[in-house]
Amino acid sequence: MSATLKDIAALTGLSVTQVSRALNDHDDVSAETKQRARDAAKALDYRPNLSARRLASGRSGIVGLVLPPQDRTPRDSMFVQMMRGLSSAFSRHGRLFVLHAADEGEDVVAVHRRLIDGGSLDGFVLIEPEHDDPRVAYLQGRGVPLVMHGRDGPAPDYPFYDIDNLAVGRALTQMLLRAGHRRIGFINGREDMCYVAQRRLGWERALREAGVEPDPALHEHGQMTESLGALATLRLMGPEGARPSALIAGNMLIAKGIYTALSMLGLKVPQDVSVVVHDDMLPGEDLLAVPPSSGTRSALAQSWEPLAAALIGAIEGRALPKTQHLGDFEIVEAGSIAPPS
Amino acid sequence: MSATLKDIAALTGLSVTQVSRALNDHDDVSAETKQRARDAAKALDYRPNLSARRLASGRSGIVGLVLPPQDRTPRDSMFVQMMRGLSSAFSRHGRLFVLHAADEGEDVVAVHRRLIDGGSLDGFVLIEPEHDDPRVAYLQGRGVPLVMHGRDGPAPDYPFYDIDNLAVGRALTQMLLRAGHRRIGFINGREDMCYVAQRRLGWERALREAGVEPDPALHEHGQMTESLGALATLRLMGPEGARPSALIAGNMLIAKGIYTALSMLGLKVPQDVSVVVHDDMLPGEDLLAVPPSSGTRSALAQSWEPLAAALIGAIEGRALPKTQHLGDFEIVEAGSIAPPS
DNA sequence: AGGGTTGCCCGAAGCGTTTCGGATTGGCAA
DNA sequence: TTGCCAATCCGAAACGCTTCGGGCAACCCT
């Protein structure tokens, strides 16, 4: 089997204790000893036994993410991206990142609990925050480190990485306002998602700032799928007079549905209807399927490193200067906006 | 913290040893004692510490899958399906299934090695077998249990779940032969994938059985993407005379590309060109994007349970009656075949 | 009655690591 | 010289679990 501390101790003539401390870079080990231990470790190709470490120290070096059950996630490729990004960020920090898919019937909190009790995981990356998220309550209650991808409320009491979704909603709306639109529809994501509420708020605020009272009938929401985009568009475009002259899509899938529905209705973008869309920039995703659209874009990939750093900091009990991060987004013009007809 | 064996021992008046044996259902514990231990465990909400267990027994109860690096996997949703399926299958067996994405630069074998040495994982589910797969060699060399989704060669020496890809290739070809086609193009997956070779073999065999010598120029292969489907179609359909009158698509994405390219060329399915396609049936995947196509379908979901059972059997050193499974596929007729014009 | 078998149980060792407390130096000030 | 401090080191205990080897009845067989 693999070499153990004992082997290194035997080879170097040190004690197991000192080797352990040397390899973990404690401060009461001489520089020379540290080097000797490290050399021997390399020579023997030593790999610490994580189970033993965990048992003794309470930490295993493994962190994880629990994929929420059900297929609430129509964008599988985003998860794979996320997996990859987080895996590599954590492995740069010498940690192992691992993913577990919760079972359909299972309670998400119970899954986290199993993982902690089993003693395998040191901390969690959470995604898709809900309002008063029960996972957060549970983990905080047990003192288990966590970081959130997204956030609940403007300033939660945990580390997170998020973009300013209110600003996104506002920016999208303003792009259309500037072109002269006043009736602006918004096809948004699931109502219980925090970012969805934020974006809606941004939409409302931008409208009010322009002296337009937001019409709740123009806000549609649901699972972010192509069919939501199509159905919501048909609904919004139904009554001729009340029709919005522009649409905001919560993401590319929705946008795709919008384009499909509009072309069914014989409406052209941007001549008849302007369209803007927000999305993460996913390298390699086949967005060519939807016509180029103006709107906002955020770079998901920026989040992995800060999330990893924050979680590791929390696990090691180090106070980090900054654990709450706001990523930025950029505005792209791609010709899907025109003045209202 | 969580309750330990010692707590249960104290509560029941048994020894720690006996409690451990009772809960693990050893056979030298009386039925009554077992029950008493189980009751106490439930009452105290006992969760075994996996690290301790692993340390003592060499087994952690965690199995994993390493996602190959790079984006060799255009079909992310398939992986998510797989994750979900395997997670739930293993958790039914009281095991924890976990996924780790290999880093871009990283050697896949090295990743497995890290996971074993760390002492965290008991065994692996492998996917996407290559010829003489180095992962298999390494794991077998170290005596680490594995199961394969797919297989290398007709009868490898490890547990696997696969479908008969030769038969799939043959069935697809025969569907077209029966309609009278003789020049049948095949747009297949990456050449180094085992199943790709098998399907090609099936195609060749079916043709020979019908007295047609397979034309290597009619076999295209590459990453299974929409653009491969489109480009390969354009290539195959280039020289007017040598054109195939029917096409086989390795999966739905390829088929989609085929449909796109054919419509660009002004060719209609099935009047001008017949198309058949094989794919896994992925619930919820948006296959509506491609017109309904005849061909073969296999149910990926059938594989999780056998894979899980086989891996657990291997870990526990039990000899299972059956560890190599061949799933079946069905043939669907959906109107994309017509006699050659 | 003696010897063997069976059923049930327990003590203690050990898995590989961390960590607590103490031990051993040498140097330096008093 | 004595006392004290910093710098290094080490032994032993502990983490929670499994397992090896043995013990003690109660039973059956001859």
Side-chain angles (χ1 to χ4, degrees), chain A residues 78-91:
Chain A
M78 207 176 93
F79 278 105
V80 177
Q81 296 274 341
M82 183 177 285
M83 264 305 293
R84 294 217 138 94
L86 286 172
S87 270
S88 96
F90 278 106
S91 87

Side-chain angles (χ1 to χ4, degrees), chain A residues 325-338:
Chain A
H325 294 262
L326 273 187
D328 30 43
F329 58 90
E330 54 189 66
I331 291 181
V332 307
E333 304 274 1
S336 62
I337 307 180

Side-chain angles (χ1 to χ4, degrees), chain A:
Chain A
M1 270 304 136
S2 222
T4 74
L5 279 189
K6 214 193 298 185
D7 300 326
I8 301 184
L11 186 61
T12 56
L14 292 165
S15 72
V16 170
T17 304
Q18 210 54 359
V19 173
S20 167
R21 302 179 69 80
L23 293 180
N24 290 342
D25 206 29
H26 281 233
D27 43 3
D28 65 344
V29 181
S30 72
E32 191 225 328
T33 302
K34 279 185 188 172
Q35 196 49 51
R36 212 142 52 94
R38 273 196 281 261
D39 291 346
K42 186 149 294 173
L44 294 176
D45 199 16
Y46 166 75
R47 316 274 174 147
N49 181 313
L50 297 185
S51 302
R53 172 175 294 183
R54 163 87 204 193
L55 192 54
S57 71
R59 276 185 247 124
S60 66
I62 310 183
V63 298
L65 181 153
V66 175
L67 195 53
Q70 318 157 6
D71 48 5
R72 316 171 29 159
T73 102
R75 302 194 57 201
D76 290 333
S77 56
M78 207 176 93
F79 278 105
V80 177
Q81 296 274 341
M82 183 177 285
M83 264 305 293
R84 294 217 138 94
L86 286 172
S87 270
S88 96
F90 278 106
S91 87
R92 272 196 296 279
H93 287 268
R95 298 298 192 292
L96 186 62
F97 175 81
V98 121
L99 179 136
H100 176 73
D103 218 355
E104 186 79 30
E106 239 168 347
D107 174 27
V108 207
V109 170
V111 179
H112 285 87
R113 140 139 245 218
R114 248 175 67 206
L115 290 172
I116 306 168
D117 285 340
S120 333
L121 295 200
D122 293 346
F124 293 90
V125 178
L126 301 184
I127 56 174
E128 301 189 344
E130 299 169 20
H131 291 299
D132 300 316
D133 201 297
R135 298 170 297 174
V136 173
Y138 179 69
L139 293 177
Q140 286 187 333
R142 289 200 51 176
V144 178
L146 66 91
V147 295
M148 181 67 84
H149 184 249
R151 73 192 139 143
D152 176 12
D157 57 344
Y158 44 76
F160 69 81
Y161 182 99
D162 198 9
I163 57 174
D164 186 345
N165 280 295
L166 194 146
V168 165
R170 205 161 105 177
L172 290 167
T173 312
Q174 285 171 338
M175 290 177 80
L176 296 169
L177 284 167
R178 267 199 299 278
H181 294 274
R182 285 301 172 267
R183 288 193 63 76
I184 298 174
F186 191 172
I187 307 180
N188 210 340
R190 273 176 44 216
E191 215 175 3
D192 50 340
M193 297 279 96
C194 299
Y195 65 89
V196 167
Q198 287 298 306
R199 290 185 192 166
R200 175 180 192 157
L201 236 55
W203 169 72
E204 291 171 349
R205 186 166 303 177
L207 288 172
R208 291 220 175 83
E209 282 165 359
V212 182
E213 183 55 26
D215 178 357
L218 291 184
H219 186 265
E220 294 269 350
H221 50 78
Q223 181 94 291
M224 286 185 155
T225 60
E226 188 172 348
S227 66
L228 169 70
L231 293 174
T233 303
L234 295 178
R235 272 198 298 272
L236 289 173
M237 289 303 176
E240 175 83 40
R243 275 186 181 178
S245 63
L247 291 176
I248 301 176
N251 77 355
M252 284 296 175
L253 281 174
I254 291 180
K256 210 169 155 195
I258 292 181
Y259 280 99
T260 311
L262 287 179
S263 87
M264 280 173 55
L265 293 170
L267 295 171
K268 295 224 174 317
V269 178
Q271 296 89 322
D272 302 315
V273 181
S274 292
V275 171
V276 294
V277 42
H278 173 84
D279 210 333
D280 305 303
M281 296 177 290
L282 295 187
E285 208 180 31
D286 214 12
L287 296 180
L288 309 173
V290 35
S293 307
S294 305
T296 51
R297 303 286 185 278
S298 58
L300 209 56
Q302 291 180 340
S303 63
W304 315 142
E305 188 56 39
L307 283 173
L311 184 53
I312 290 176
I315 289 172
E316 297 193 335
R318 271 189 288 109
L320 257 53
K322 189 174 152 131
T323 60
Q324 306 195 325
H325 294 262
L326 273 187
D328 30 43
F329 58 90
E330 54 189 66
I331 291 181
V332 307
E333 304 274 1
S336 62
I337 307 180
S341 48

Side-chain angles (χ1 to χ4, degrees), chain B residues 4-5 17 20 24 46 53 56:
Chain B
T4 73
L5 278 190
T17 304
S20 166
N24 289 342
Y46 166 76
R53 171 175 295 179

Side-chain angles (χ1 to χ4, degrees), chain B residues 18-29 31 34 38:
Chain B
Q18 210 53 1
V19 174
S20 166
R21 303 178 68 81
L23 294 179
N24 289 342
D25 206 28
H26 281 233
D27 43 2
D28 64 345
V29 181
K34 280 186 189 173
R38 273 195 282 262

Side-chain angles (χ1 to χ4, degrees), chain B residues 114-331:
Chain B
R114 248 174 70 207
L115 291 170
I116 306 168
D117 284 340
S120 331
L121 295 199
D122 293 346
F124 292 91
V125 179
L126 302 184
I127 55 174
E128 300 189 345
E130 299 169 20
H131 291 300
D132 300 318
D133 201 298
R135 300 170 297 176
V136 173
Y138 179 69
L139 293 176
Q140 285 187 333
R142 290 199 51 176
V144 178
L146 67 91
V147 295
M148 181 66 85
H149 183 247
R151 72 215 216 253
D152 175 14
D157 56 346
Y158 44 75
F160 69 82
Y161 182 99
D162 198 10
I163 57 174
D164 186 344
N165 280 295
L166 194 146
V168 165
R170 205 160 107 179
L172 289 167
T173 312
Q174 285 171 337
M175 290 177 80
L176 296 169
L177 285 168
R178 266 198 300 277
H181 294 274
R182 284 300 172 268
R183 288 193 61 76
I184 298 174
F186 190 171
I187 307 181
N188 210 340
R190 275 177 41 217
E191 215 176 3
D192 50 339
M193 297 280 96
C194 299
Y195 66 89
V196 167
Q198 286 299 305
R199 289 186 194 166
R200 175 181 192 156
L201 236 55
W203 170 71
E204 292 171 348
R205 187 166 302 177
L207 287 172
R208 291 220 175 84
E209 283 165 0
V212 181
E213 182 57 24
D215 178 357
L218 291 185
H219 185 266
E220 295 269 349
H221 50 78
Q223 182 95 290
M224 286 185 154
T225 60
E226 189 173 347
S227 66
L228 168 70
L231 292 174
T233 303
L234 295 178
R235 272 198 298 273
L236 289 172
M237 289 303 177
E240 175 81 40
R243 275 187 181 176
S245 63
L247 291 176
I248 302 176
N251 77 355
M252 284 297 175
L253 281 174
I254 291 180
K256 210 169 154 195
I258 292 180
Y259 280 99
T260 311
L262 287 180
S263 86
M264 279 173 57
L265 293 171
L267 295 172
K268 294 224 173 319
V269 178
Q271 297 90 323
D272 303 314
V273 181
S274 293
V275 171
V276 294
V277 42
H278 172 83
D279 210 332
D280 305 304
M281 296 176 291
L282 295 188
E285 209 181 31
D286 213 12
L287 296 179
L288 309 173
V290 35
S293 308
S294 305
T296 52
R297 303 286 185 277
S298 58
L300 209 55
Q302 291 181 339
S303 64
W304 316 140
E305 187 56 38
L307 283 174
L311 184 52
I312 290 176
I315 289 172
E316 298 193 334
R318 271 189 287 108
L320 257 53
K322 188 174 155 139
T323 60
Q324 306 196 326
H325 294 261
L326 273 187
D328 30 44
F329 58 90
E330 54 188 65
I331 291 181

